[in-house]
Amino acid sequence: MTIGEISGLIAALAFVALVVFLIINLRKTASVFEEIEKTVGEVNETIAMVNKNVNNISDEVEGLLNKANDLVADINQKVEKTDPLFTAIGDIGTSVSDVNDSSRNLVESLASKSKKTQRKRSSLSKVGAVVNQFKRAKSDRNTKVSVPDITVTSDYPDASNGEIKEVIIPNEGRDSTEIK
């Protein structure tokens, strides 16, 4: 074997090794392309299914939005019908508040008049009690009657200062009175 033959043999072996290497890589590349083709096919199927589902979903969403719009319009109509009701309720609340204020003023006025009347009654009851004691004492002769202080209130204001006067008639030396 000559050098030319040896170098031809090395070149042939290198070419065979190159072809084997290329065949192995081409097979791997072919299997990768097959996988890519399968994946692209699946993606296309999924996209077609999603498009179909999106169309169905968009139709349903459109129907729901139409129903929601109808519902909102119905609610707006009913709210417009109830506005006078709430206005009337507000007016009733104001009226009740006014009635409460008037009632409070009436009660205060009656209480004030009641205090004046009560003062008159207490003065009159003291006078009446003394009169009753005198009547009993008159029938029981030689009985001592105790006379309390008497408070007299005037309903008319004092001309000098405009105040209502209350006069107390003290029991000065009238601790008891003997009736004969």
Side-chain angles (χ1 to χ4, degrees), residues 7-48:
S7 59
L9 186 62
I10 291 176
L13 285 175
F15 185 73
V16 169
L18 178 68
V19 170
V20 169
F21 178 74
L22 286 176
I23 290 173
I24 292 173
N25 281 333
L26 285 176
R27 281 191 178 167
K28 286 182 182 179
T29 306
S31 68
V32 168
F33 279 125
E34 286 176 8
E35 287 296 321
I36 289 174
E37 189 176 323
K38 284 181 187 177
T39 304
V40 169
E42 289 175 4
V43 167
N44 285 336
E45 288 175 15
T46 303
I47 289 174

Side-chain angles (χ1 to χ4, degrees):
M1 280 204 126
T2 64
I3 291 187
E5 289 178 349
I6 292 179
S7 59
L9 186 62
I10 291 176
L13 285 175
F15 185 73
V16 169
L18 178 68
V19 170
V20 169
F21 178 74
L22 286 176
I23 290 173
I24 292 173
N25 281 333
L26 285 176
R27 281 191 178 167
K28 286 182 182 179
T29 306
S31 68
V32 168
F33 279 125
E34 286 176 8
E35 287 296 321
I36 289 174
E37 189 176 323
K38 284 181 187 177
T39 304
V40 169
E42 289 175 4
V43 167
N44 285 336
E45 288 175 15
T46 303
I47 289 174
M49 188 184 311
V50 166
N51 280 337
K52 182 180 175 183
N53 289 339
V54 165
N55 289 335
N56 291 338
I57 289 172
S58 67
D59 290 342
E60 288 181 27
V61 166
E62 184 178 342
L64 287 174
L65 287 175
N66 289 335
K67 287 180 183 178
N69 288 337
D70 292 342
L71 182 62
V72 167
D74 185 45
I75 288 172
N76 285 335
Q77 287 175 346
K78 290 179 180 172
V79 165
E80 286 175 10
K81 289 179 182 178
T82 59
D83 280 344
L85 174 68
F86 289 112
T87 302
I89 289 172
D91 292 344
I92 288 172
T94 303
S95 297
V96 168
S97 178
D98 292 344
V99 167
N100 283 340
D101 290 342
S102 297
S103 298
R104 187 175 300 115
N105 291 340
L106 178 64
V107 167
E108 289 172 359
S109 172
L110 290 175
S112 172
K113 288 181 182 179
S114 174
K115 286 180 184 177
K116 289 179 184 178
T117 305
Q118 193 173 11
R119 281 189 224 138
K120 286 180 187 177
R121 282 189 203 146
S122 66
S123 297
L124 289 175
S125 65
K126 288 179 183 178
V127 170
V130 170
V131 169
N132 283 338
Q133 285 181 353
F134 277 114
K135 283 181 183 177
R136 276 190 239 122
K138 193 173 182 183
S139 65
D140 290 345
R141 301 263 181 211
N142 297 328
T143 303
K144 288 189 176 186
V145 177
S146 63
V147 179
D149 290 345
I150 298 172
T151 304
V152 179
T153 304
S154 170
D155 282 341
Y156 301 103
D158 186 17
S160 62
N161 61 9
E163 294 180 0
I164 295 177
K165 280 196 169 185
E166 185 172 284
V167 178
I168 299 175
I169 302 171
N171 181 0
E172 297 169 349
R174 294 177 298 167
D175 289 334
S176 60
T177 304
E178 194 171 315
I179 298 178
K180 294 184 183 180

